Amino acid sequence: MEDERSVVALMRAMGLDDEVVQRVSRLWGKSAARNDGRTHLLLGHLLDTAAVAGVMWDRYVAPAFRRRLDEVSGGRGRLWFMWVCGIHDCGKACPAFQAMDAAEAAPVLAAGLPLGRMGVGRGTRWRHDVAGAVLLRPRLITEWGGEEAAGWVWPLVAGHHGSFPPGGALKPPRGAQGRGIAWEETQRGVVDVFTRAVGFEDLADVRPVESLRKAEQLALSGLIVMADWIASDSSQFPGLADAEQISFAGARRRAEAAWERLRLRGGWRNLPLPETPTAPLTGRLGVQPRASQRELVERAWSMPAPGLLVAEAPMGEGKTKAALAAAEVLAARFGLDGVFVAMPTQATSDPMYEQVLQWVRTFDPELEPQVALLHGRRRFNAWWRAIWDGKPRPDADGCGCGDDGDRRESAGLVDDDFGAIDEDADYGVASTPSPTGQVADLAADGPAHWFLGDKRGLLTAFAVGTVDHLLHAATRTKHVMLRFAGLAGKVVVVDEVHAADVYMRQFLVEALRWLGQAGVPVVLLSATLPPAQRQRFVDAYLSGVLGTADVHQPVPEPAGYPSVTVAYGVDGRAVAETSSKAVQPWRDSVPVRLGWLPDTEPGGARVATAVRDAVADGGVVLVVVNQVDRAQGIYRELRDGGFDGSLHLLHARLCAAHRAVRTAECLRLMGPLAGGDRPERMVVIATQLAEQSFDVDADVLITDLAPTDLLLQRIGRLHRHSGTRRQAAHQVPRVLVTGVAHGADGTPLFLPASKHIYGEWALLRAAALVSQAAGAFAAQDGDGAGGAGWSIPADVPGLVARAYGDAEICPTEWDEGGAWDRWRAREQNREEKAEQYLLCRRREWAFPTLEGLHYAGSRAASEEQLDAVVRDGDPSMEVVVVRRASGGYRAVDGTWLGVHGEVDDDEGTDRLLGGLVRLPPRLTDAARTELRPLPGWVDRPWLRYRPALVLDEQGSTPLGADRVSYHNVLGLLVERVAR
């Protein structure tokens, strides 16, 4: 049982002098001015935090991490966890902090603790987190028997405000730390009475028997921050200004009550092993296992330790369901408590969120509110709104594409920083209002809104979101430990892993290294993964497992396609294995005819003509181009020519509501459940939005040339569903490759946008491979009959391997070598740019502790800036399109706002944010200078930071050197103003 004695009684029982008891009892931790009018004493906050940690141990921390803390503490993991979480704020026992508030400082002075030259109320910039390390470090070294035991613990205290300082920073300004016997005895008393109250005999008794690995330290640091932030909530932990009222038993009751009110919980909690090896597929997901799915799950069963699994299989093979089944096996075997599924985009995250919701319900319906959707436009996912905002639920069999779902991408979270409160705000961690803009009904059954805060999302037991959240956990940014702690207790699944470019791949590799060291199982999924990338991912994970910077464990060549590669460490040895027998794909390979359609005109007139020819007798055509202007031009050509059929335009410059409605409509008409709704004649013109995780079935694909792996992804939308009725002319899948033209010397000429996005080298090699299938580049012009074509999916791994291999494959006159040199120089520059933000530089990987991790780190403050850290490229901005009207403003759908843009309710906010659109990067500087939120948005949490793009009554507005307009069909239009 926890000690019911007050800390005052405990100190007297410990034999502390009355003066010391009085001084320790006067130290404040939370001031009345910033704590709802009630002072909270320092010992009260330390014990509150320790008590929260105890509840976290019982109800939140993953079994695997509990085992590790038991190991390092000699079997006293829960006690040790409470101590290390609670001791975090011991540095507040110093003049620099105690002098920060004049009213709170008066009793401290009266108790005989001098504040030196600083003077009451002045304080200093000496941070209490670093002060805590200065206070603890010498005592730990002395009482724990040396630097090795203490060296990894003091950074946990020094870093609890989000960044880890180097040892050289532990040098307080004169008088800031406290000098003289009074301060020395008081500081010692704070540590000793807290240690005894928690349950240890003394500080020496706390000594760990071994060290956590650095990645485990980072996860522990995040859990410390979590416990601190919960215990810093004055609405849950009212201030106690009388030390006689403070006890650990009382703190435990406060923590239990707060945990219940906040509805916090973990995930599976000791998930049992499945009854049969395939039960996660057949029983949980209700699928008849395909060979590739069975292979992945069997590998999850056979690995002797947590490891990396890389599943490569054709588009539409069912990789994600197999990954969820494998995640269940891995979690049950190795003691993980949840799953994070990382998707390449916001649009692909939404359907995956709904799939994970259904999966989680099969374990326990009460787990449904523990599934978070992590991206900036989650507000209008219908299931998200139903669960987290208490909106009406979609139909049980729905996919979230109803009235609310049609607008599910039309808003984003404000970039609030949900940190610790009160005096901690002086250290850059300010308190903020609820992200939902409302107080949750604590009596209702629902989710824990505490997790909605910025940087907290990954702490939910189950999460689906963009891959950026994984990449952010590998950046040297403030509070990175919170993000990493959210990953460390989970199985991590990364879908479409090939979508990471060379810049993003730096962070993915860094994340794999840290996850490997933390013992986190990772499942990577791809249809088109180059062998060199597979090898790099394996080496990175094994580097973490073995704690060595440069591990290279050759991956055997897979026996076929699909395949599964596994990597793990056993007895200090790296192991990498792959499927030794060919795995039968779900569908037989089919021949795909390829042909050239030379055209590099932005207007796309030739493409429009080819589309008309393709659907002359009916059919469904998907056009995928590499730039928005070209998509709009092709649409105009078809529309203005009187196209007879269903015509759709889909690109990233549509406002969120229009884009969501059109995506849903395309899925309805071309998706797996289209059936009789599939039109006789239909054309969809899209940009890269249709490249992956877009489950539609086209008869013909017309596509701008792209790197080979992305070209194959686009081909994956072709003849995708079995049972689709097709006209006789479309029985064989056909691809026309455009966006390229004949150069005078025989070298291909590419669209400038394509070269800017992908680089010339990758396009040249793709052109060479297409030429081998479609016939010589200059000899074909749209008939698609020039060569043998490709066999899909059988040819996929070979094509990707050749595209990214070392051997030259282009004709000599194409100057492939020069293009390679230019591409490699560009990629090296991007790698070097990314390296400055990586969580740990190569030379620092062998450092055993977190000391100095942030000494040269990025201090990106907002999510927009953080996204810029992990995604290379020109920065862009999202704005809300509104239209000026007589006497006020209207939303893009015509909803009346107000004189100043006022919005009265959530429905109005929903409609307004349906006008959210991302501007082209070249408008970013002008937008930052000229655009602001409307005055009427200041009190709306979802709007107050959103710039408004105000169109005049003619529907346009000047922006920098351009004139911008919005067309309900074409989307955002940008015209350069003649000068």
Side-chain angles (χ1 to χ4, degrees), residues 534-612:
R534 181 202 309 132
Q535 183 67 60
R536 190 177 182 194
F537 294 153
V538 165
D539 289 344
Y541 190 88
L542 290 174
S543 292
V545 170
L546 300 184
T548 305
D550 295 304
V551 171
H552 178 65
Q553 184 64 32
V555 177
E557 185 69 23
Y561 180 71
S563 68
V564 176
T565 299
V566 297
Y568 54 88
V570 58
D571 298 327
R573 179 173 55 89
V575 177
E577 303 167 340
T578 194
S579 300
S580 57
K581 296 181 180 178
V583 178
Q584 186 66 28
W586 173 53
R587 292 184 298 184
D588 293 334
S589 290
V590 297
V592 176
R593 297 172 61 200
L594 281 85
W596 291 110
L597 178 63
D599 177 55
T600 55
E601 292 298 320
R606 293 202 67 191
V607 175
T609 299
V611 168
R612 293 181 187 280

Side-chain angles (χ1 to χ4, degrees), residues 806-883:
D806 296 329
E808 291 195 0
I809 59 175
C810 299
T812 304
E813 62 270 21
W814 289 12
D815 188 24
E816 181 182 353
W820 159 258
D821 290 340
R822 291 187 294 274
W823 179 84
R824 187 61 199 140
R826 176 189 175 192
E827 299 299 89
Q828 287 177 337
N829 180 65
R830 297 176 74 198
E831 288 176 356
E832 291 170 3
K833 182 180 175 183
E835 186 177 354
Q836 64 182 311
Y837 297 109
L838 292 179
L839 183 52
C840 186
R841 294 186 177 92
R842 179 180 296 272
R843 63 180 178 273
E844 300 162 351
W845 181 243
F847 293 179
T849 79
L850 298 171
E851 176 187 347
L853 188 69
H854 283 88
Y855 75 92
S858 164
R859 296 300 177 90
S862 71
E863 288 300 300
E864 183 179 271
Q865 290 170 302
L866 193 55
D867 288 340
V869 167
V870 298
R871 289 185 184 264
D872 190 23
D874 300 324
S876 60
M877 279 183 65
E878 283 189 327
V879 298
V880 180
V881 178
V882 297
R883 303 183 190 276

Side-chain angles (χ1 to χ4, degrees), residues 38-50:
R38 299 180 63 173
T39 300
H40 195 33
L41 295 180
L42 176 57
L43 278 177
H45 177 58
L46 299 188
L47 291 176
D48 284 345
T49 308

Side-chain angles (χ1 to χ4, degrees), residues 5 38 93 113 118 261 369 375 426 466 508 594 618 697 970:
R5 289 177 295 177
R38 299 180 63 173
L113 286 172
M118 289 172 291
R261 284 193 297 266
H375 66 64
D426 286 359
T466 54
L508 180 55
L594 281 85
D697 182 324
L970 295 173

Side-chain angles (χ1 to χ4, degrees), residues 742-938:
H742 308 146
D745 58 355
T747 302
L749 299 177
F750 304 119
L751 284 164
S754 300
K755 286 182 64 174
H756 176 73
I757 297 167
Y758 303 119
E760 186 180 19
W761 177 76
L763 294 174
L764 284 174
R765 290 177 74 87
L769 292 173
V770 172
S771 293
Q772 294 170 16
F777 175 71
Q780 301 296 319
D781 194 359
D783 63 9
W790 288 339
S791 181
I792 304 296
D795 288 347
V796 168
L799 288 167
V800 174
R802 292 183 65 200
Y804 292 97
D806 296 329
E808 291 195 0
I809 59 175
C810 299
T812 304
E813 62 270 21
W814 289 12
D815 188 24
E816 181 182 353
W820 159 258
D821 290 340
R822 291 187 294 274
W823 179 84
R824 187 61 199 140
R826 176 189 175 192
E827 299 299 89
Q828 287 177 337
N829 180 65
R830 297 176 74 198
E831 288 176 356
E832 291 170 3
K833 182 180 175 183
E835 186 177 354
Q836 64 182 311
Y837 297 109
L838 292 179
L839 183 52
C840 186
R841 294 186 177 92
R842 179 180 296 272
R843 63 180 178 273
E844 300 162 351
W845 181 243
F847 293 179
T849 79
L850 298 171
E851 176 187 347
L853 188 69
H854 283 88
Y855 75 92
S858 164
R859 296 300 177 90
S862 71
E863 288 300 300
E864 183 179 271
Q865 290 170 302
L866 193 55
D867 288 340
V869 167
V870 298
R871 289 185 184 264
D872 190 23
D874 300 324
S876 60
M877 279 183 65
E878 283 189 327
V879 298
V880 180
V881 178
V882 297
R883 303 183 190 276
R884 194 180 300 278
S886 176
Y889 302 89
R890 291 189 181 276
V892 74
D893 70 347
T895 299
W896 172 252
L897 302 176
V899 175
H900 303 292
E902 296 89 344
V903 182
D904 295 330
D905 53 25
D906 282 351
E907 183 179 354
T909 301
D910 293 355
R911 293 184 175 278
L912 177 58
L913 286 173
L916 200 66
V917 69
R918 186 167 292 277
L919 298 175
R922 68 185 176 93
L923 297 179
T924 299
D925 289 342
R928 285 177 175 166
T929 301
E930 301 176 26
L931 303 184
R932 296 290 183 274
L934 292 182
W937 298 353
V938 67

Side-chain angles (χ1 to χ4, degrees), residues 658-827:
H658 294 159
R659 176 173 158 182
V661 168
R662 291 188 203 175
T663 301
E665 181 68 0
C666 289
L667 290 171
R668 184 181 71 83
L669 297 175
M670 298 171 64
L673 302 178
D677 289 338
R678 194 172 195 264
E680 289 295 316
R681 182 180 287 104
M682 177 175 176
V683 175
V684 176
I685 303 152
T687 55
Q688 292 93 330
L689 296 179
E691 193 167 83
Q692 56 199 6
S693 298
F694 188 51
D695 193 8
V696 297
D697 182 324
D699 297 324
V700 178
L701 172 69
I702 301 177
T703 173
D704 279 348
L705 186 69
T708 305
D709 53 333
L710 303 183
L711 194 61
L712 288 166
Q713 287 288 336
R714 296 177 187 186
I715 292 174
R717 314 307 118 192
L718 195 60
H719 286 228
R720 184 179 178 91
H721 304 141
S722 58
T724 301
R725 293 182 290 105
R726 308 182 200 280
Q727 287 87 349
H730 300 313
Q731 292 303 306
V732 176
R734 187 162 66 102
V735 180
L736 294 180
V737 181
T738 186
V740 59
H742 308 146
D745 58 355
T747 302
L749 299 177
F750 304 119
L751 284 164
S754 300
K755 286 182 64 174
H756 176 73
I757 297 167
Y758 303 119
E760 186 180 19
W761 177 76
L763 294 174
L764 284 174
R765 290 177 74 87
L769 292 173
V770 172
S771 293
Q772 294 170 16
F777 175 71
Q780 301 296 319
D781 194 359
D783 63 9
W790 288 339
S791 181
I792 304 296
D795 288 347
V796 168
L799 288 167
V800 174
R802 292 183 65 200
Y804 292 97
D806 296 329
E808 291 195 0
I809 59 175
C810 299
T812 304
E813 62 270 21
W814 289 12
D815 188 24
E816 181 182 353
W820 159 258
D821 290 340
R822 291 187 294 274
W823 179 84
R824 187 61 199 140
R826 176 189 175 192
E827 299 299 89

